[in-house]
Coordinates of all heavy atoms in Angstrom, one line a residue:
D41 N -5.1 1.7 8.7 CA -5.3 2.1 10.1 C -5.7 3.6 10.2 O -6.3 4.0 11.2 CB -4.0 1.9 10.9 CG -3.5 0.5 10.9 OD1 -4.3 -0.3 11.4 OD2 -2.4 0.2 10.6
L42 N -5.5 4.2 9.2 CA -5.8 5.6 9.1 C -6.4 5.8 7.7 O -5.9 5.5 6.6 CB -4.6 6.6 9.2 CG -4.8 8.1 9.0 CD1 -3.7 8.8 10.0 CD2 -4.8 8.6 7.7
F43 N -7.7 6.4 7.7 CA -8.4 6.6 6.4 C -9.3 7.8 6.6 O -10.1 7.8 7.6 CB -9.1 5.5 5.9 CG -9.8 5.6 4.6 CD1 -9.1 5.7 3.4 CD2 -11.2 5.9 4.5 CE1 -9.7 5.9 2.2 CE2 -11.8 6.1 3.3 CZ -11.0 6.2 2.1
V44 N -9.1 8.7 5.8 CA -10.0 9.9 5.9 C -10.2 10.6 4.5 O -9.3 10.5 3.6 CB -9.3 11.0 6.8 CG1 -7.9 11.5 6.3 CG2 -10.2 12.2 7.1
F46 N -11.6 14.2 2.9 CA -11.8 15.6 3.4 C -12.2 16.5 2.2 O -11.9 16.1 1.0 CB -10.7 16.2 4.2 CG -9.3 15.9 3.5 CD1 -8.9 16.9 2.6 CD2 -8.7 14.7 3.7 CE1 -7.6 16.7 1.9 CE2 -7.4 14.6 3.1 CZ -6.9 15.5 2.2
S59 N -10.9 6.8 14.8 CA -9.7 7.2 13.9 C -8.5 7.7 14.8 O -8.8 8.4 15.8 CB -10.2 8.2 12.9 OG -9.1 8.7 12.2
P60 N -7.3 7.5 14.4 CA -6.2 8.1 15.1 C -6.1 9.6 14.9 O -5.4 10.3 15.7 CB -4.9 7.4 14.6 CG -5.4 6.9 13.2 CD -6.8 6.6 13.3
V61 N -6.8 10.2 14.0 CA -6.9 11.6 13.8 C -8.3 12.1 14.1 O -9.2 11.2 13.9 CB -6.4 12.1 12.5 CG1 -5.0 11.7 12.2 CG2 -7.2 11.6 11.4
D62 N -8.5 13.2 14.5 CA -9.8 13.8 14.7 C -10.1 15.0 13.8 O -9.1 15.5 13.2 CB -10.2 14.0 16.1 CG -9.4 15.1 16.8 OD1 -8.9 16.1 16.2 OD2 -9.1 15.0 18.1
D65 N -7.5 17.7 14.0 CA -6.1 17.5 13.5 C -6.0 17.7 12.0 O -4.9 18.1 11.6 CB -5.9 16.0 13.8 CG -5.8 15.6 15.2 OD1 -5.4 16.4 16.0 OD2 -6.0 14.4 15.5
L66 N -7.1 17.6 11.3 CA -6.9 17.6 9.8 C -6.2 18.8 9.2 O -5.3 18.8 8.4 CB -8.3 17.4 9.1 CG -8.9 16.1 9.3 CD1 -10.2 15.9 8.5 CD2 -8.0 14.9 8.9
K68 N -4.2 20.7 10.6 CA -2.8 20.9 11.1 C -1.9 19.9 10.5 O -0.7 20.0 10.8 CB -2.9 20.6 12.7 CG -3.7 21.6 13.4 CD -3.8 21.3 14.8 CE -4.9 22.1 15.5 NZ -5.2 21.6 16.8
L69 N -2.3 18.9 9.8 CA -1.4 17.9 9.2 C -0.8 18.3 7.9 O -1.6 18.7 7.0 CB -2.2 16.5 9.1 CG -2.6 15.8 10.3 CD1 -3.5 14.6 10.0 CD2 -1.5 15.4 11.2
A70 N 0.5 18.2 7.8 CA 1.1 18.6 6.6 C 0.7 17.7 5.4 O 0.6 18.2 4.2 CB 2.7 18.5 6.7
A71 N 0.4 16.4 5.7 CA -0.1 15.6 4.6 C -1.5 16.1 4.0 O -1.6 16.1 2.7 CB -0.4 14.1 5.1
V72 N -2.3 16.6 4.8 CA -3.6 17.1 4.4 C -3.3 18.4 3.6 O -4.0 18.6 2.5 CB -4.6 17.3 5.6 CG1 -5.9 18.1 5.1 CG2 -5.0 16.0 6.2
A73 N -2.4 19.3 4.1 CA -2.2 20.5 3.4 C -1.6 20.2 2.0 O -1.9 20.9 1.0 CB -1.2 21.4 4.2
T74 N -0.7 19.2 1.9 CA -0.1 18.9 0.6 C -1.2 18.4 -0.4 O -1.2 18.9 -1.5 CB 0.9 17.8 0.8 OG1 1.9 18.3 1.6 CG2 1.5 17.4 -0.5
V75 N -2.1 17.6 0.1 CA -3.2 17.1 -0.8 C -4.2 18.2 -1.2 O -4.6 18.4 -2.3 CB -3.8 15.8 -0.2 CG1 -5.1 15.5 -1.0 CG2 -2.9 14.7 -0.1
Y81 N 0.7 12.9 -1.9 CA 1.6 12.7 -0.7 C 1.8 11.2 -0.7 O 0.9 10.3 -0.5 CB 0.8 13.1 0.5 CG 1.6 13.1 1.8 CD1 2.3 14.2 2.1 CD2 1.6 12.0 2.6 CE1 3.0 14.3 3.3 CE2 2.3 12.1 3.8 CZ 3.0 13.3 4.2 OH 3.7 13.3 5.3
H82 N 3.0 10.8 -1.2 CA 3.2 9.4 -1.5 C 4.1 8.6 -0.6 O 5.3 9.0 -0.5 CB 3.7 9.3 -3.0 CG 3.9 7.9 -3.5 ND1 2.8 7.0 -3.7 CD2 4.9 7.2 -3.8 CE1 3.2 5.9 -4.1 NE2 4.5 5.9 -4.1
D83 N 3.6 7.6 0.1 CA 4.5 6.8 0.9 C 5.3 7.5 1.8 O 6.6 7.2 2.0 CB 5.2 5.8 0.1 CG 4.4 4.7 -0.6 OD1 3.3 4.4 0.0 OD2 4.8 4.2 -1.7
E84 N 4.9 8.5 2.5 CA 5.6 9.2 3.5 C 5.3 8.8 4.9 O 4.3 8.2 5.1 CB 5.2 10.8 3.4 CG 5.5 11.4 2.0 CD 7.1 11.6 1.8 OE1 7.8 11.7 2.8 OE2 7.4 11.6 0.6
L85 N 6.2 9.0 5.8 CA 5.9 8.6 7.2 C 5.4 9.9 7.9 O 5.7 10.9 7.6 CB 7.3 8.3 7.9 CG 8.0 7.0 7.4 CD1 9.3 6.7 8.2 CD2 7.1 5.8 7.5
L86 N 4.3 9.5 8.7 CA 3.6 10.6 9.3 C 3.6 10.2 10.8 O 3.2 9.1 11.2 CB 2.1 10.6 8.8 CG 1.2 11.5 9.7 CD1 1.5 13.0 9.4 CD2 -0.2 11.2 9.3
L87 N 4.2 11.1 11.6 CA 4.1 10.9 13.1 C 3.0 11.6 13.7 O 2.9 12.8 13.4 CB 5.5 11.4 13.7 CG 5.6 11.4 15.2 CD1 5.4 9.9 15.8 CD2 6.9 11.9 15.7
H88 N 2.1 11.0 14.3 CA 0.9 11.7 14.9 C 0.6 11.0 16.2 O 0.3 9.8 16.2 CB -0.2 11.7 13.9 CG -1.5 12.3 14.5 ND1 -1.6 13.7 14.6 CD2 -2.7 11.8 15.0 CE1 -2.7 14.0 15.2 NE2 -3.4 12.8 15.4
D89 N 0.6 11.8 17.2 CA 0.1 11.4 18.6 C 0.8 10.1 19.0 O 0.2 9.2 19.5 CB -1.3 11.2 18.5 CG -2.0 11.2 20.0 OD1 -1.3 11.8 20.8 OD2 -3.0 10.7 20.2
G90 N 2.2 10.1 18.8 CA 3.0 8.9 19.3 C 2.9 7.7 18.3 O 3.5 6.6 18.7
Q91 N 2.2 7.8 17.2 CA 2.1 6.7 16.3 C 2.7 7.1 15.0 O 2.7 8.3 14.5 CB 0.7 6.3 16.1 CG 0.0 5.8 17.3 CD -1.4 5.4 17.1 OE1 -1.7 4.4 16.4 NE2 -2.4 6.3 17.5
V92 N 3.4 6.1 14.3 CA 4.0 6.4 13.0 C 3.1 5.6 12.0 O 3.0 4.4 12.1 CB 5.5 6.0 12.9 CG1 6.1 6.3 11.6 CG2 6.3 6.7 14.0
F93 N 2.8 6.3 10.9 CA 2.1 5.7 9.8 C 2.8 5.9 8.5 O 3.4 6.9 8.3 CB 0.7 6.3 9.6 CG -0.2 6.3 10.8 CD1 -0.1 7.2 11.8 CD2 -1.1 5.3 11.0 CE1 -0.9 7.2 12.9 CE2 -1.9 5.2 12.1 CZ -1.8 6.2 13.1
Q94 N 2.7 4.9 7.6 CA 3.2 5.1 6.3 C 1.9 5.5 5.5 O 0.8 4.8 5.5 CB 3.7 3.8 5.6 CG 4.1 4.0 4.2 CD 4.6 2.8 3.5 OE1 4.5 1.7 4.1 NE2 5.3 2.9 2.4
V95 N 1.9 6.8 5.0 CA 0.7 7.4 4.5 C 0.9 7.8 3.0 O 1.9 8.2 2.5 CB 0.4 8.6 5.3 CG1 -0.9 9.4 4.7 CG2 0.1 8.3 6.7
S96 N -0.3 7.6 2.2 CA -0.4 8.1 0.8 C -1.6 9.0 0.8 O -2.6 8.6 1.5 CB -0.4 7.0 -0.1 OG 0.9 6.4 -0.2
G97 N -1.6 10.0 0.0 CA -2.7 10.8 -0.1 C -2.8 11.3 -1.5 O -1.8 11.6 -2.2
F112 N -8.0 12.3 -0.3 CA -8.0 11.1 0.5 C -6.7 11.0 1.2 O -5.7 11.3 0.6 CB -8.2 9.9 -0.4 CG -9.4 9.6 -1.0 CD1 -9.9 10.1 -2.1 CD2 -10.3 8.7 -0.3 CE1 -11.2 9.9 -2.7 CE2 -11.5 8.3 -0.9 CZ -12.0 9.0 -2.1
L113 N -6.6 10.4 2.4 CA -5.4 10.0 3.0 C -5.6 8.6 3.5 O -6.7 8.3 4.1 CB -5.0 10.8 4.3 CG -4.4 12.1 4.2 CD1 -4.0 12.6 5.6 CD2 -3.1 12.0 3.3
A114 N -4.7 7.7 3.3 CA -4.8 6.4 3.7 C -3.4 5.9 4.2 O -2.4 6.3 3.7 CB -5.3 5.4 2.7
G115 N -3.4 5.3 5.4 CA -2.1 4.9 6.0 C -2.2 3.7 6.9 O -3.3 3.3 7.3
V116 N -1.0 3.0 7.1 CA -0.9 1.9 7.8 C 0.1 2.1 9.0 O 1.2 2.7 8.6 CB -0.4 0.7 7.0 CG1 -0.1 -0.6 7.8 CG2 -1.4 0.4 5.9
R117 N -0.2 1.8 10.2 CA 0.9 1.9 11.2 C 2.0 1.1 11.0 O 1.9 -0.1 10.5 CB 0.3 1.4 12.6 CG -0.5 2.5 13.3 CD -0.8 2.2 14.7 NE -1.2 0.8 15.0 CZ -2.3 0.2 15.0 NH1 -3.4 1.0 14.7 NH2 -2.5 -1.0 15.1
I118 N 3.3 1.6 11.0 CA 4.4 0.8 10.6 C 4.6 -0.3 11.5 O 5.3 -1.3 11.2 CB 5.7 1.7 10.4 CG1 6.1 2.3 11.7 CG2 5.4 2.7 9.3 CD1 7.5 2.9 11.6
D119 N 4.1 -0.2 12.7 CA 4.1 -1.4 13.7 C 3.6 -2.7 13.0 O 4.0 -3.7 13.4 CB 3.4 -1.1 15.0 CG 4.2 -0.2 16.0 OD1 5.3 0.2 15.6 OD2 3.6 0.0 17.0
Y121 N 3.9 -3.7 10.0 CA 4.9 -4.3 9.2 C 5.9 -5.2 10.0 O 6.2 -6.3 9.7 CB 5.8 -3.3 8.3 CG 5.0 -2.5 7.4 CD1 5.1 -1.1 7.4 CD2 4.2 -3.1 6.4 CE1 4.4 -0.3 6.5 CE2 3.5 -2.3 5.5 CZ 3.5 -0.9 5.6 OH 2.9 -0.2 4.6
I141 N 8.8 0.5 18.1 CA 9.1 1.9 18.2 C 9.2 2.2 19.7 O 8.2 1.9 20.5 CB 8.0 2.7 17.5 CG1 7.9 2.4 16.0 CG2 8.2 4.2 17.7 CD1 6.8 2.9 15.4
R143 N 8.6 4.4 22.7 CA 7.9 5.6 23.0 C 8.4 6.3 24.2 O 7.9 7.2 24.8 CB 6.4 5.3 23.2 CG 5.7 4.9 21.9 CD 4.3 4.5 22.1 NE 3.6 4.3 20.8 CZ 3.7 3.2 20.1 NH1 4.3 2.2 20.5 NH2 3.0 3.2 19.0

Side-chain angles (χ1 to χ4, degrees):
D41 298 305
L42 181 149
F43 182 73
V44 62
F46 49 90
S59 175
V61 297
D62 64 33
D65 295 330
L66 291 183
K68 298 173 189 169
L69 294 175
V72 172
T74 298
V75 172
Y81 191 87
H82 185 66
D83 287 335
E84 298 288 335
L85 294 181
L86 171 71
L87 173 62
H88 178 71
D89 200 24
Q91 297 181 71
V92 180
F93 300 87
Q94 180 181 15
V95 175
S96 289
F112 284 87
L113 278 186
V116 175
R117 278 194 320 271
I118 63 167
D119 282 1
Y121 296 127
I141 299 172
R143 290 181 173 83

